[in-house]
Amino acid sequence: MNIRSIFGFLPPRLLYSQEELPVKDVPLSGKAVVVIQKVGQEGPEPAVTCGEFVKTGGKLFDSRGRLLAFSPVTGTIDEIYDLRCIDREFTAISIAIAEADIWDENSGRIDGYETMDTGSLMATLRDAGYDLALPAGGKADAVILNCLESDLMISINAAVLAGRADSIRRGLKLLKGIASADAVIIAASPALRERAEAIAREGGERVAEVDMVKPVYPAGMNEILPRVLQRKGVRRPLVVSPVAVDSMVTYLEKGFPALDKIITLIDGNNQRVNMRVRLGTPISHVLREGNVRISDGDKLILGGTMRGITAFHAEFPVTADIDAIMIQSRRSVVSMGDTPCKGCGRCVSVCPNGLQPHLLGRYAEFFLFERCRDYDIDYCIECGMCAYVCPSRRALVQYIGLAKKELAKKEGEAAHAVE
Amino acid sequence: MPSNEIRYHNLVVSHAPHAHDGSSFSGAMYTFIAALAPAAVYAVAIYGVHALRVMTLSMAAAMASEFLIQKLFRQPVSVSDGNSMLTGLLFALILPPGVPWWLVVVGSFVAILVGQQIYGGKGGNPFNPVLVGWAAVRLSWGEYINLDYAMINYRLDFSFEYPLSLLRKAGVAGIEGFNYIDLLLGRQVGGMGSSAVLLIALGGIFLILRGHISWRIPASFLAGVAGTALAFWLVSGSLYADPLFHLLTGNIMIGAFFLATEYSSSPVNKTAMVIYGLGCGFLTVLFRSWSNYPDGVFFAILIMNIVNPLLDKIRPAVPGRDKKDGRAP
Ligand code: SF4
Ligand code: SF4
């Protein structure tokens, strides 16, 4: 992708996809994999054994009785093993799918969630893995439904908004209460205007504002969106995505979260299609169903071009936070490295947070992590704009990631020492 | 038996982002050179083979210096990115056409070695390398690049006297003979290419449109010159030249568009760029009015190069940042 005008004086404008893609249903594969991220060396120990029968929506607990995950399918657990994906370690539970879904009768509607007080509702949600990013103090001035996509090339929200309008509307109402917010704002690109309006009205009544946002990356990042709204002065928002709201409502109403997920599948020629996939489906199966081939030298990206993470194998399952699976063919793989910075300042001119990416990169390169902190590294949202425009092709975001990790490690050690 | 064995391909793994806008440093350098090409052609048209000689020699010397220094210090050789070629070309364009060959070679060599490589190479230099080379020859063999008599051997169809020297020696009365259209079209004595004021400015605008330099530095540089010159002129129109004369003579255009904007020695933040440009313009007119040097552009830029790191401390506000504490929430 090379979006640069002949008259390059405007900063590059990376547009989110405005196209609505057809949705293809992916049949269940023979198995589903549930992954649980390990924390530290031990990680939570799942209290399941091979041969155990699980039903769709059934709860999987750890050895201490805490809810770990929901089974997305009905079948028999056939293997529990360790799985790595890039820098993260997971415990994987593989389930051989036995038959058509049998819905777990132990998972049911969360009783009385409509009348619960905010504290217990939030606790209920947190137990199920829904951590609401409420502003400090617990009160938000607005709930913003972020209908822009999470990255370039992805185009799932049109389908989500169309298919789950009622659920999302109910969810927004609930969130408005939880956050004691004064307003609900549906932020969408012009292409989604009608879809957004449909959610903003209940009967004849308007229950939310619709705010049209220019679909220019990185407007769709939760940190940026409140600043680019037409409505000014939103300072302490609760920003949520349609997928998350829908999943949350489904959990409250049925006792288990949304188990199907729409993702955009992008092949090596940038051809795209949307797939409706059961969570836990191995990515290799999605690729097969989409007739997407993968070969040596390609990149397998979970997410989009600017922020996706690359995987080194295709046996990782589709999880709730994966919005796209993208194959980048070897001829379009960009390599970035440690060529010295020339001080041209392009990175500075595109950073949405007004940071100094060239300095962050240089300091990180020479292990001066504390200086990175002086230069506000904590405010970097890793949007990737700086590395996208750097003529020296410096791996700026990777340097920044390194510095953040080292700083966090140091802080962890310091906290440990105090104890 | 189900198998969760992983089938590996040789996949490429890397950090985001997975796209790039296609820009490159060498692309920028060759665009700079292309932007200077009209002025170079102009120099050859006016001064013939002498200009060609100085330009090719200067570029070759700069490139050879970079190659040798990088070999000597076991650095990866990066001559092909066009940076030293540009340095050599810019150095030639600010010289008179008749300079001796050794001066060109020494100047280019100093520009690359002292101006750039001893700071760790491209991107590390605090000063504009071209101007470091120029300052070295100006201070050591100033008479060879003195523009007062440099053109005396050429058959020119315009005055062979350097307008800025006339201004300094004879005051405003001395420059009455100059027609501003002539000055704009480059019919004036100066550096062999830098005197092509209009061509240089057009080249600079091309660079801005292509996104290789920000408009802020050239614009504020020119505004600084105009503003300061206006102030002087308002004080005494018979002692000091008018702003337009200043803008159209000497090295202001090449300075504003091509020298002050050198990546490593100029600021990257918006406010800093404006202050830097204004400072360059202000100092230029100050030197022109009160110093011994007819044209102060190069020293003005070198001085502002020193201030640059300080200026770049003026950073934009980070949204959501608590000013007092400075840490993330
Ligand atoms: S990745 Fe960070 S430093 Fe780079 S442009 Fe985005 S916010 Fe700025
Ligand atoms: S864009 Fe790259 S070369 Fe330019 S200042 Fe930033 S890091 Fe340095």
Side-chain angles (χ1 to χ4, degrees):
Chain A
M1 206 169 22
N2 182 352
I3 308 174
R4 193 156 181 246
S5 53
I6 345 167
F7 294 122
F9 66 101
L10 293 172
R13 281 162 63 89
L14 297 171
L15 297 182
Y16 289 102
S17 166
Q18 293 295 293
E19 215 178 317
E20 193 167 338
L21 302 173
V23 183
K24 192 177 161 217
D25 280 301
V26 177
L28 292 181
S29 70
K31 68 166 182 179
V33 182
V34 176
V35 287
I36 297 144
Q37 189 169 350
K38 291 192 182 178
V39 191
Q41 289 298 314
E42 314 291 306
E45 200 61 46
V48 288
T49 45
C50 285
E52 211 173 300
F53 186 73
V54 288
K55 294 181 188 166
T56 309
K59 290 177 175 153
L60 305 177
F61 294 97
D62 77 353
S63 45
R64 286 193 271 164
R66 281 177 313 192
L67 176 65
L68 278 184
F70 294 88
S71 169
V73 292
T74 302
T76 319
I77 294 176
D78 67 355
E79 201 178 345
I80 300 167
Y81 57 103
D82 294 329
L83 185 64
R84 290 197 64 192
C85 192
I86 309 303
D87 56 349
R88 271 169 276 184
E89 305 255 0
F90 298 87
T91 303
I93 304 170
S94 162
I95 304 166
I97 297 173
E99 49 205 299
D101 287 319
I102 304 174
W103 302 94
D104 191 285
E105 59 281 357
N106 293 327
S107 294
R109 188 186 139 73
I110 310 295
D111 277 327
Y113 73 85
E114 300 100 325
T115 51
M116 266 185 206
D117 62 273
T118 309
S120 21
L121 185 55
M122 287 212 20
T124 309
L125 288 172
R126 197 173 315 114
D127 287 345
Y130 299 99
D131 249 328
L132 294 178
L134 276 177
K139 184 187 174 334
D141 47 10
V143 173
I144 303 179
L145 184 70
N146 180 354
C147 301
L148 279 90
E149 305 293 346
S150 58
D151 207 328
L152 304 177
M153 309 278 287
I154 301 177
S155 194
I156 60 174
N157 280 340
V160 175
L161 293 183
R164 309 294 306 165
D166 293 333
S167 159
I168 293 172
R169 193 181 305 113
R170 290 198 295 276
L172 289 176
K173 204 178 199 175
L174 201 68
L175 288 172
K176 187 178 176 194
I178 293 181
S180 12
D182 313 319
V184 176
I185 302 172
I186 303 180
S189 65
L192 293 183
R193 179 191 287 269
E194 275 162 37
R195 297 268 148 84
E197 289 288 354
I199 291 178
R201 284 173 199 287
E202 190 174 21
E205 210 181 320
R206 180 171 274 284
V207 292
E209 294 169 30
V210 174
D211 205 302
M212 287 294 129
V213 178
K214 284 203 197 82
V216 181
Y217 188 82
M221 289 186 70
N222 287 354
E223 297 86 344
I224 305 291
L225 188 64
R227 306 209 298 256
V228 297
L229 293 176
Q230 282 170 20
R231 175 187 168 126
K232 296 289 164 229
V234 180
R235 299 258 177 277
R236 298 149 49 78
L238 169 65
V239 191
V240 287
S241 74
V243 172
V245 174
D246 174 41
S247 181
M248 184 192 83
V249 171
T250 312
Y251 168 69
L252 291 173
E253 292 174 353
K254 290 193 188 157
F256 52 83
L259 297 177
D260 283 330
K261 170 104 218 262
I262 296 177
I263 58 171
T264 302
L265 179 65
I266 308 157
D267 76 4
N269 299 317
N270 287 345
Q271 299 297 314
R272 300 178 303 154
V273 62
N274 273 351
M275 307 283 242
R276 184 177 287 110
V277 191
R278 183 64 61 88
L279 294 184
T281 306
I283 284 168
S284 55
H285 179 69
V286 181
L287 295 177
R288 257 194 311 277
E289 287 295 320
N291 282 324
V292 172
R293 291 163 53 86
I294 184 166
S295 38
D296 285 0
D298 290 351
K299 249 191 211 179
L300 168 59
I301 303 170
L302 311 183
T305 33
M306 297 300 277
R307 303 198 297 129
I309 60 167
T310 47
F312 55 86
H313 58 74
E315 298 312 313
F316 199 76
V318 172
T319 55
D321 50 5
I322 294 179
D323 287 343
I325 298 174
M326 174 171 182
I327 302 293
Q328 195 171 50
S329 75
R330 63 191 306 171
R331 64 198 140 71
S332 29
V333 167
V334 197
S335 68
M336 296 185 183
D338 61 354
T339 318
C341 164
K342 308 297 190 298
C344 70
R346 292 193 74 194
C347 53
V348 177
S349 68
V350 297
C351 177
N353 270 356
L355 305 183
Q356 313 277 303
H358 62 313
L359 292 181
L360 297 177
R362 285 189 195 195
Y363 290 141
E365 189 173 10
F366 296 108
F367 303 113
L368 300 168
F369 304 120
E370 287 299 329
R371 313 262 344 232
C372 289
R373 173 141 286 158
D374 299 339
Y375 281 89
D376 300 321
I377 192 168
D378 307 282
Y379 292 86
C380 168
I381 54 171
E382 303 191 19
C383 65
M385 288 303 289
C386 49
Y388 178 80
V389 300
C390 173
S392 300
R393 308 207 175 187
R394 283 172 67 70
L396 292 169
V397 188
Q398 188 165 8
Y399 280 130
I400 291 171
L402 169 75
K404 280 185 178 172
K405 224 168 233 175
E406 291 296 325
L407 285 169
K409 203 156 86 189
K410 225 180 270 171
E411 247 148 49
E413 277 162 17
H416 206 73
V418 171
E419 280 166 27
Chain B
M1 192 54 212
S3 162
N4 288 303
E5 247 171 60
I6 291 171
R7 284 173 297 282
Y8 287 103
H9 299 266
N10 280 319
L11 295 181
V12 173
V13 177
S14 77
H15 204 285
H18 309 290
H20 192 269
D21 70 355
S23 63
S24 66
F25 181 60
S26 61
M29 290 302 106
Y30 287 112
T31 314
F32 270 83
I33 292 173
L36 285 169
V41 171
Y42 163 91
V44 177
I46 301 271
Y47 303 110
V49 71
H50 289 248
L52 199 61
R53 178 191 65 108
V54 176
M55 286 190 287
T56 44
L57 186 63
S58 177
M59 289 194 280
M63 290 164 77
S65 308
E66 186 185 4
F67 179 82
L68 290 176
I69 294 165
Q70 286 177 335
K71 275 277 177 222
L72 199 66
F73 292 110
R74 306 223 160 92
Q75 299 286 319
V77 173
S78 60
V79 179
S80 61
D81 67 17
N83 179 266
S84 49
M85 193 185 210
L86 173 66
T87 306
L89 180 60
L90 277 169
F91 182 57
L93 292 180
I94 58 175
L95 294 177
V99 286
W101 66 268
W102 51 266
L103 186 141
V104 178
V105 173
V106 171
S108 303
F109 178 73
V110 171
I112 297 293
L113 178 68
V114 184
Q116 185 177 71
Q117 292 296 330
I118 57 167
Y119 300 107
K122 291 156 217 182
N125 49 296
F127 299 105
N128 185 325
V130 178
L131 297 183
V132 172
W134 177 85
V137 298
R138 176 71 178 82
L139 298 175
S140 313
W141 305 285
E143 64 276 21
Y144 286 101
I145 58 171
N146 189 335
L147 289 163
D148 286 349
Y149 309 107
M151 310 299 181
I152 213 137
N153 295 325
Y154 292 92
R155 195 183 290 273
L156 300 173
D157 57 359
F158 49 84
S159 161
F160 62 82
E161 283 184 288
Y162 186 34
L164 290 172
S165 289
L166 279 182
L167 174 66
R168 197 163 53 85
K169 286 186 212 127
V172 175
I175 57 166
E176 261 159 13
F178 289 106
N179 168 339
Y180 287 179
I181 300 291
D182 275 357
L183 293 179
L184 179 68
L185 294 179
R187 295 164 58 75
Q188 58 168 317
V189 165
M192 66 170 90
S194 60
S195 54
V197 173
L198 182 63
L199 295 179
I200 294 279
L202 289 177
I205 290 167
F206 171 69
L207 285 185
I208 294 173
L209 293 181
R210 293 288 294 153
H212 291 301
I213 57 176
S214 160
W215 58 270
R216 288 186 180 80
I217 292 176
S220 54
F221 194 135
L222 299 181
V225 169
T228 318
L230 184 69
F232 274 96
W233 190 55
L234 289 179
V235 169
S236 167
S238 55
L239 270 180
Y240 302 108
D242 60 282
L244 202 53
F245 175 84
H246 277 291
L247 287 175
L248 293 175
T249 50
N251 296 297
I252 295 233
M253 288 300 166
I254 203 167
F257 286 103
F258 288 89
L259 295 170
T261 54
E262 197 270 331
Y263 286 160
S264 173
S265 54
S266 66
V268 295
N269 289 301
K270 291 175 189 167
T271 322
M273 287 194 227
V274 172
I275 300 176
Y276 172 88
L278 289 174
C280 286
F282 172 74
L283 289 178
T284 297
V285 179
L286 225 55
F287 285 138
R288 280 187 177 187
S289 307
W290 288 344
S291 84
N292 259 339
Y293 294 99
D295 194 1
V297 171
F298 300 153
F299 287 119
I301 296 175
L302 283 170
I303 289 174
M304 291 312 286
N305 283 169
I306 303 177
V307 196
N308 161 40
L310 265 178
L311 290 179
D312 247 346
K313 294 225 181 286
I314 311 173
R315 293 180 268 143
V318 175
R321 182 174 184 272
D322 180 353
K323 291 213 176 66
K324 271 171 267 153
D325 166 17
R327 285 290 171 94

